[in-house]
Amino acid sequence: AQKVTQAQTEISVVEKEDVTLDCVYETRDTTYYLFWYKQPPSGELVFLIRRNSFDEQNEISGRYSWNFQKSTSSFNFTITASQVVDSAVYFCALTGVYNFNKFYFGSGTKLNVKP
Amino acid sequence: GAVVSQHPSRVICKSGTSVKIECRSLDFQATTMFWYRQFPKKSLMLMATSNEGSKATYEQGVEKDKFLINHASLTLSTLTVTSAHPEDSSFYICSALARTPLETQYFGPGTRLLVL
């Protein structure tokens, strides 16, 4: 079965704190893609990252970093020195390489960054 | 980056009426588009896959006669909620599949539907 679990429903931090959003997935596919999207209050989904299951290298983009651990089926997302503008709902998603149309979204984690 | 638009962004209608939502890929051709539904504080649920020139593929539990999908061109897919009822009130999001340079879904800004 394909499934994405984001156990953290809501997280509140104070500005400049680091925060990690957890994502655990289940899949029968040997090759797959993992994504993170940001959904601000406006509702529009903003693409953050896509990771191929072949590539386990961690990635850093500015204040954002991602830790892909295939052994534990996790794809965690860390925001360093959080800012108020980071407040949003963050979704982790999974799709198969050979069935790309089927996106499996986690339930989302709402991040509140307080000044 | 690729841009996908939706129109309208917000719509309020009376129960029993039909509502059409448009999804357009603005700077790329999309043979495949997707329609999602999101309830408040919930995740996105795939409703159907829209393929240009053929019938849409609906997910289990989605009424095809209720949610009519037409993929009329390589840049436009429409979702019509027929005989809308209050329980159809939701946030509807479309996405378009871009195949180059990487296969990625780009999401539209969403349409908030309120059925009174």
Side-chain angles (χ1 to χ4, degrees), chain B residues 22-76:
Chain B
E22 294 185 348
C23 176
R24 294 181 186 272
S25 56
L26 298 183
D27 53 0
F28 66 100
Q29 293 184 332
T31 55
T32 304
M33 292 184 173
F34 307 92
W35 288 96
Y36 295 83
R37 182 173 182 177
Q38 186 180 27
F39 290 102
K41 299 185 180 182
K42 297 291 184 182
S43 189
L44 285 76
M45 293 182 56
L46 179 65
M47 297 174 65
T49 302
S50 170
N51 297 297
E52 190 268 337
S54 64
K55 290 183 179 180
T57 303
Y58 290 82
E59 294 300 301
Q60 193 171 12
V62 178
E63 298 176 61
K64 59 181 68 176
D65 295 330
K66 174 76 170 173
F67 300 100
L68 300 179
I69 292 172
N70 185 310
H71 197 143
S73 74
L74 288 172
T75 59
L76 173 65

Side-chain angles (χ1 to χ4, degrees), chain A residues 33 35 37 39 41-45 47 50 91 97 100-103 105-108 110, chain B residues 32 34 36 38 41-44 46 49 59 91 93 97 102-105 107-109 112:
Chain A
Y33 292 119
F35 298 79
Y37 286 90
Q39 188 177 43
S42 62
E44 182 171 0
L45 282 171
F47 168 79
R50 166 181 129 155
F91 290 98
V97 171
F100 197 86
N101 56 306
K102 189 82 171 180
F103 258 55
F105 282 90
S107 53
K110 184 177 182 182
Chain B
T32 304
F34 307 92
Y36 295 83
Q38 186 180 27
K41 299 185 180 182
K42 297 291 184 182
S43 189
L44 285 76
L46 179 65
T49 302
E59 294 300 301
F91 190 51
I93 304 175
L97 182 61
L102 293 174
E103 238 179 8
T104 302
Q105 281 194 34
F107 288 85
R112 294 194 186 278

